[in-house]
Structures are given as C-alpha cells and as structure tokens.
C-alpha cells in the first residue's frame, strides 16, 4: 500500500459525446481513487452508460480527457487499450453476456486463459470465485441452464477473477428482482473491497448507494458529486 493521500486512479474532465442531435455527454467530469466504490445514478437517458463506456475506453468521447494511472486513454493505440481492458479492467453488464457454449466455470476461467494462465490453475481460481459468489454448485452448467441471479453472480466472478484494478458495472442487477439484486450487489462490492478493486457502479437502486463510498448523479450529460465534496 502506498499512502498517497488522494491516489486518483481514473479521471475524466469535460467529456462531450454527441449522437446526432443528442448530447449524451455535455461536459462531464469524473474521478475515482484506487479501491473506491462509486455509485453512478441518474434518470434514464441522462448519459450514465455513455459515461461508463468513455471511462473504460470502449467509446471515444468527441472531446475531453480520460486519464487512467497517468495515461491518456484516447492517446493509446487500439492494441494498448485492448491490453488495458484485458489486464486491468473488469466489466459486468446488465445481462451478464456469458458465453453460452461454455460452462459457468469455463466462463469465469476465460479471462485467465486469455491472459495465458495454465488451464488447471485457471480452473482452480474459477472454482474459488464461484464459491465466493455462492454459486459453486452450478460450475458445470451452461448459462442457459441457470437462473438470472446465478448468471449475474457468474458474470461478477468472471469480472473479478483476474484481479482488475478497476471494475465497471452497468446496472449489473438490473434484470433481477430487488432482493436477489441487492444480494448480488453486496457480494460484488464486498469481493471488490477484499481485492482492493475500484468500482464504478451504474444503478437505479438508491439502496445500493449504501454500499458505496460516494454517489455521483448524472443529469443531462453532466456528472455531479451528490455530497458536493469528494
Ligand atoms: N449508440 C447510440 N446512438 C444514438 N444515441 C445514443 C447512443 N447511445 C446513447 N444514445 C443517446 O444518448 C443519451 C444517453 O444515453 P445513455 O445510454 O448514456 O443513458 P443512460 O443514462 O445509461 O440511460 P439508461 O438508464 O436508460 O440506461 C440518450 O438520449 C440515448 O438515447
Ligand atoms: Mg444505461
């Protein structure tokens, strides 16, 4: 651990993104420190997903800066950005996007296999993560054979298995009933806290804010800290 008082991991400033005549981002600023859990809230269509995609380097902003660990994302080559996403970022989307042909365990092991981890070791780590998310029993099933909540737990395990510095989660429990959703959210945040992973968590659920360190509200393409100060 270093004790730099404010180790900003990722910062974005003055992001603009236009889709036709729609201004999805209109001068959005954002910052997250190492290990911090930030909930991003705001009405539908306000720009939350667009912000997340720009922060993660999935979508290039029209203008503005995104800096991750001192490096400007838009300035990286496609290969460098892909490597960053593979090695340092984890993603969970609203519908887990698991690979249907693979078992749950193989899905979780996939990021490790892509990073060159030998099969046995990758499988062992995948099993550990499935157990941590309380779904060890479905390891051998395919995503089509498990419930929505179980699938999202597998997706969370897959996003965290390679120990990312940064997790991006866009409504990761949006498809679940609120009890199940809250449980998965709690597991996600506690697993991220154990591994020191910073989390940007887009959610409609106000209760989720209780698990976060900070809340940011996006309105009309601009992001604001709810409490005012960071
Ligand atoms: N690929 C796209 N093409 C055209 N318009 C888009 C695209 N992506 C987003 N938009 C528009 O940009 C605005 C912001 O969209 P965004 O998906 O970021 O909102 P959101 O806050 O994530 O909404 P939700 O809560 O419904 O997921 C919306 O008006 C949306 O219609
Ligand atoms: Mg969205």
């Amino acid at each position: 651990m270093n004790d730099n008082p404010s180790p900003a991991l990722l910062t974005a400033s003055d992001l603009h993104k236009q889709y036709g005549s729609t201004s999805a981002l209109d001068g959005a600023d954002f910052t997250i420190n190492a290990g911090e859990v930030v909930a991003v809230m705001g009405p539908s269509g306000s720009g939350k997903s667009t912000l997340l995609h720009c922060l993660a380097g999935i979508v290039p902003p029209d203008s503005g800066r995104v800096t991750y660990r001192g490096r400007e994302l838009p300035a990286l080559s496609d290969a460098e950005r892909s490597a960053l996403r593979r090695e340092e970022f984890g993603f969970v989307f609203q519908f887990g996007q698991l690979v249907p042909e693979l078992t749950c365990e193989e899905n979780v092991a996939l990021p490790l296999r892509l990073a060159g981890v030998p099969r046995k070791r990758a499988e062992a780590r995948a099993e550990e993560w499935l157990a941590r998310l309380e779904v060890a029993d479905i390891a051998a099933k395919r995503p089509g054979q498990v419930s929505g909540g179980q699938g999202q737990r597998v997706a969370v395990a897959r996003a965290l298995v390679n120990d990312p510095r940064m997790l991006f989660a866009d409504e990761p429990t949006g498809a679940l009933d609120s009890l199940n959703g809250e449980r998965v959210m709690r597991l996600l945040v506690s697993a991220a806290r154990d591994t020191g992973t910073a989390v940007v968590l887009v959610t409609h659920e106000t209760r989720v804010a209780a698990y976060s360190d900070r809340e940011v509200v996006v309105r009309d393409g601009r992001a604001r800290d709810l409490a005012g100060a960071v």
Side-chain angles (χ1 to χ4, degrees), residues 61-206:
D62 297 336
S63 64
R65 289 158 59 104
V66 180
T67 307
Y68 175 73
R69 300 181 72 205
R71 290 186 292 172
E72 286 237 19
L73 285 195
L76 298 181
S77 68
D78 285 350
E80 287 172 318
R81 249 197 318 276
S82 305
L84 192 65
R85 284 202 295 263
R86 205 169 50 237
E87 288 158 20
E88 307 221 4
F89 293 174
F91 297 92
V92 189
F93 297 101
Q94 182 165 9
F95 303 100
Q97 296 180 343
L98 299 172
V99 181
E101 295 82 9
L102 299 181
T103 66
C104 290
E105 183 178 308
E106 288 164 344
N107 264 283
V108 176
L110 189 59
L112 297 173
R113 298 289 290 135
L114 292 175
V117 175
R119 193 161 64 86
K120 287 279 176 230
R121 232 177 83 71
E123 282 172 3
R125 293 223 41 195
E127 274 168 40
E128 275 168 39
W129 273 96
L130 287 170
R132 202 160 179 169
L133 274 299
E134 303 172 347
V135 281
D137 52 320
I138 58 156
K141 292 192 173 181
R142 290 180 208 286
Q145 304 168 312
V146 306
S147 74
Q150 289 168 331
Q152 281 308 75
R153 289 168 195 236
V154 174
V156 171
R158 185 182 59 179
L160 289 168
V161 73
N162 60 350
D163 207 9
R165 246 181 246 269
M166 195 57 253
L167 177 70
F168 297 94
D170 195 351
E171 305 258 6
T173 60
L176 307 180
D177 64 75
S178 59
L179 202 65
N180 210 350
E182 192 171 341
R183 180 91 191 115
V184 174
M185 201 71 84
R186 222 182 306 187
L187 287 167
L188 183 159
V189 172
S190 83
R193 289 204 189 280
D194 286 351
T195 53
T197 300
V199 184
V200 183
L201 183 59
V202 174
T203 180
H204 276 120
E205 300 245 359
T206 43

Side-chain angles (χ1 to χ4, degrees), residues 43-50 52-53 94 170-171 202 204:
S44 181
S46 58
K48 304 181 296 296
S49 294
T50 307
L52 195 87
H53 295 157
Q94 182 165 9
D170 195 351
E171 305 258 6
V202 174
H204 276 120

